[in-house]
């Protein structure tokens, strides 16, 4: 008995690793060698390519292709129709299989609808990438990035709220009450 749900129109190749509680919806394709964690949601018309690794509780919204070279940590959200690349100089007539450039999306990060993530970047923990953003460089943990090319415009909490730091470099998430500290150009959750 399978421990995950797959819609009858989904295609799941042999050799996929799929965690318990995961749901795979209409017309999605998981290819040989991909790994999908527990309690993930794979939306409609999604491709998960070979060697892709998705952590636990990852949400992949409709019309997303996650190509070889991409790794997503736990609790990542991939918005509708966001795009990943995996070759820096693609050409139809030149085969560059085996030259895939890795991309890492760290724990809790959110990528908005229609955003483009150019290969070779790392998106830090709990970073938030706005809808339509084009990411060409690494994004710091807890950073809020928007535009084309992506530019940093602020910081967000683990709950996705804007953080407003006081003169001491302290901010409080309005939803969770968690305290954040800005020090040496980085945001961290204050120890409890």
């Amino acid at each position: 008995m399978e421990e995950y749900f797959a819609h009858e129109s989904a295609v799941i190749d042999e050799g996929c690793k799929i965690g318990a509680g995961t749901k795979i919806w209409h017309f999605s394709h998981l290819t040989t060698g991909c790994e999908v964690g527990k309690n993930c949601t794979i939306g409609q018309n999604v491709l998960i390519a070979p060697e892709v690794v998705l952590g636990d509780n990852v949400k992949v919204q409709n019309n997303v292709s996650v190509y070889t070279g991409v790794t997503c940590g736990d609790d990542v959200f991939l918005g509708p129709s966001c795009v990943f690349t995996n070759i820096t100089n693609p050409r139809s007539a030149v085969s560059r299989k085996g030259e895939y450039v890795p991309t890492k999306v760290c724990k809790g990060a959110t990528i908005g609808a229609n955003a483009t993530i150019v290969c070779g970047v790392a998106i830090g923990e709990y970073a938030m990438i706005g809808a339509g953003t084009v990411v060409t460089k690494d994004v710091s943990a807890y950073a809020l990035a928007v535009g084309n090319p992506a530019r940093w415009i602020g910081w967000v909490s683990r709950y996705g709220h804007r953080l407003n730091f006081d003169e001491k470099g302290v901010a409080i998430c309005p939803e969770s009450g968690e305290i954040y500290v800005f020090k040496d150009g980085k945001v961290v959750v204050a120890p409890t």
Side-chain angles (χ1 to χ4, degrees):
M1 184 168 91
E2 293 178 348
E3 297 180 335
Y4 62 87
F5 166 81
H7 186 271
E8 63 186 22
S9 65
V11 176
I12 300 171
D13 294 344
E14 286 188 41
C16 297
K17 294 180 183 175
I18 303 169
T22 289
K23 293 182 171 92
I24 303 159
W25 292 102
H26 306 71
F27 312 113
S28 289
H29 185 184
L30 278 64
T31 61
T32 299
C34 71
E35 295 182 27
V36 177
K38 297 179 288 192
N39 300 313
C40 293
T41 301
I42 307 298
Q44 181 175 304
N45 195 38
V46 168
L47 169 71
I48 307 296
E51 300 172 33
V52 165
V53 177
L54 303 181
D56 295 337
N57 198 41
V58 172
K59 307 292 188 239
V60 183
Q61 300 301 296
N62 296 347
N63 306 311
V64 176
S65 294
V66 186
Y67 295 118
T68 300
V70 176
T71 301
C72 295
D74 295 344
D75 304 319
V76 164
F77 179 90
L78 303 178
S81 302
C82 72
V83 175
F84 289 92
T85 69
N86 63 359
I87 295 289
T88 56
N89 57 344
R91 293 291 193 192
S92 177
V94 179
S95 177
R96 294 210 162 92
K97 292 180 180 178
E99 296 180 28
Y100 299 131
V101 180
T103 297
K104 184 175 183 181
V105 183
C106 296
K107 178 180 175 66
T110 292
I111 298 175
N114 294 304
T116 299
I117 311 302
V118 176
C119 59
V121 302
I123 297 174
E125 288 189 355
Y126 301 100
M128 185 169 285
I129 309 302
T133 297
V134 179
V135 177
T136 60
K137 296 178 186 172
D138 291 352
V139 176
S140 299
Y142 301 99
L144 174 59
V146 299
N148 180 6
R151 66 188 185 287
W152 169 85
I153 63 166
W155 303 102
V156 293
S157 71
R158 291 194 276 200
Y159 283 70
H161 295 284
R162 288 289 293 262
L163 292 172
N164 298 306
F165 289 92
D166 63 19
E167 65 281 350
K168 294 179 182 177
V170 176
I172 299 173
C173 173
E175 184 174 348
S176 69
E178 289 178 317
I179 298 170
Y180 293 79
V181 178
F182 181 76
K183 186 176 180 181
D184 300 326
K186 295 181 181 178
V187 172
V188 294
V189 178
T192 55

